[in-house]
Amino acid sequence: ETLQRIVSTLANKNDEIHNFIDTLNHTIENVQINSSNAIRELDEEFDGLYSVLDEMKGSMASTIQQEEAHKIQALQ
């Protein structure tokens, strides 16, 4: 009878361990999915920021070139 209780307890603990492992695996999947989503969103955000900065660079370079041309013309 004692042996039967020990075996039963071990079987229950084994089930608990397998359930815990399943929970951990599910949590790992969620972490991986969330991380992938966060990286994708970060990439999109930086791509957008880079695009805005590139446009600003072009605009500022154009302004500088126009100012340079105006100053050179005035000096000539």
Side-chain angles (χ1 to χ4, degrees), residues 46-61:
F46 271 92
D47 287 346
L49 290 171
Y50 180 78
S51 178
V52 168
L53 286 174
D54 196 41
E55 287 177 25
M56 288 178 66
K57 175 187 169 187
S59 175
M60 292 174 84

Side-chain angles (χ1 to χ4, degrees), residues 1 9 13 17 20 31 36 44 46-47 51 56 61 67:
E1 185 179 316
T9 300
K13 293 297 178 185
I17 289 170
F20 184 64
V31 167
S36 293
E44 290 172 0
F46 271 92
D47 287 346
S51 178
M56 288 178 66
E67 189 174 320

Side-chain angles (χ1 to χ4, degrees), residues 9-72:
T9 300
L10 288 174
N12 288 338
K13 293 297 178 185
N14 190 43
D15 288 343
E16 287 177 22
I17 289 170
H18 283 289
N19 287 338
F20 184 64
I21 289 171
D22 289 342
T23 300
L24 288 177
N25 285 332
H26 183 69
T27 301
I28 288 169
E29 275 183 44
N30 286 338
V31 167
Q32 290 171 328
I33 289 168
N34 290 340
S35 295
S36 293
N37 289 341
I39 289 171
R40 181 181 40 78
E41 290 173 9
L42 184 66
D43 285 342
E44 290 172 0
E45 184 70 23
F46 271 92
D47 287 346
L49 290 171
Y50 180 78
S51 178
V52 168
L53 286 174
D54 196 41
E55 287 177 25
M56 288 178 66
K57 175 187 169 187
S59 175
M60 292 174 84
S62 176
T63 301
I64 290 169
Q65 289 170 345
Q66 289 173 3
E67 189 174 320
E68 175 190 26
H70 177 71
K71 285 180 180 180
I72 289 173

